[in-house]
Structure formats: structure tokens, C-alpha cells
Amino acid sequence: MAKRITFDEYDASRMYEWHLAVLQAMPEDKNCYCSELGKRLAKFIGEKEARRLQKLVKKNPYFTK
């Protein structure tokens, strides 16, 4: 039997932020699973929080060129 994990909106927000950071590092990577996970996390945390994190990561990038 597979174990399930639980997490709250805070955990999901951090995971979504990491997802955005990975996309900064590898924008050409079109991993279908990664994209689907990002969409599901954005839906879970809500559109307003997802937009806030997108702006935050864009303004303060994890990776610079």
C-alpha cells in the first residue's frame, strides 16, 4: 500500500516557489510532469498567491545570467 503525505498551503507555496526556480534554471525543459505539478500546486494555493510568488521570483531570481 502506498503511503500518502499531507501538507498545508505554506508547504505548497514553498514547493511552487521551488518549481518556479527550476523553470528559471532550465527554461527549455518541457517536462510534462513538472508542468502538471506546477499547475496543481498553483491551483491548490490559489491564483492570488501563485501570482505573488511569480512576481517575487521574477524580481528576485534564484539564478542570474
Side-chain angles (χ1 to χ4, degrees), residues 46-62:
E47 187 178 326
K48 185 176 179 181
E49 178 68 6
R51 270 198 316 265
R52 185 186 74 78
L53 289 171
Q54 289 168 0
K55 289 178 184 177
L56 181 70
V57 171
K58 186 175 182 177
K59 183 177 178 183
N60 304 294
Y62 282 84

Side-chain angles (χ1 to χ4, degrees), residues 33-47:
Y33 182 73
C34 188
S35 298
E36 183 64 29
L37 181 60
K39 289 177 188 176
R40 293 179 75 184
L41 287 169
K43 183 177 178 182
F44 184 82
I45 63 176
E47 187 178 326

Side-chain angles (χ1 to χ4, degrees), residues 11-27:
D11 296 327
S13 294
R14 299 294 65 86
M15 292 170 66
Y16 185 68
E17 185 178 344
W18 298 334
H19 166 75
L20 295 172
V22 167
L23 291 179
Q24 277 185 344
M26 299 180 295

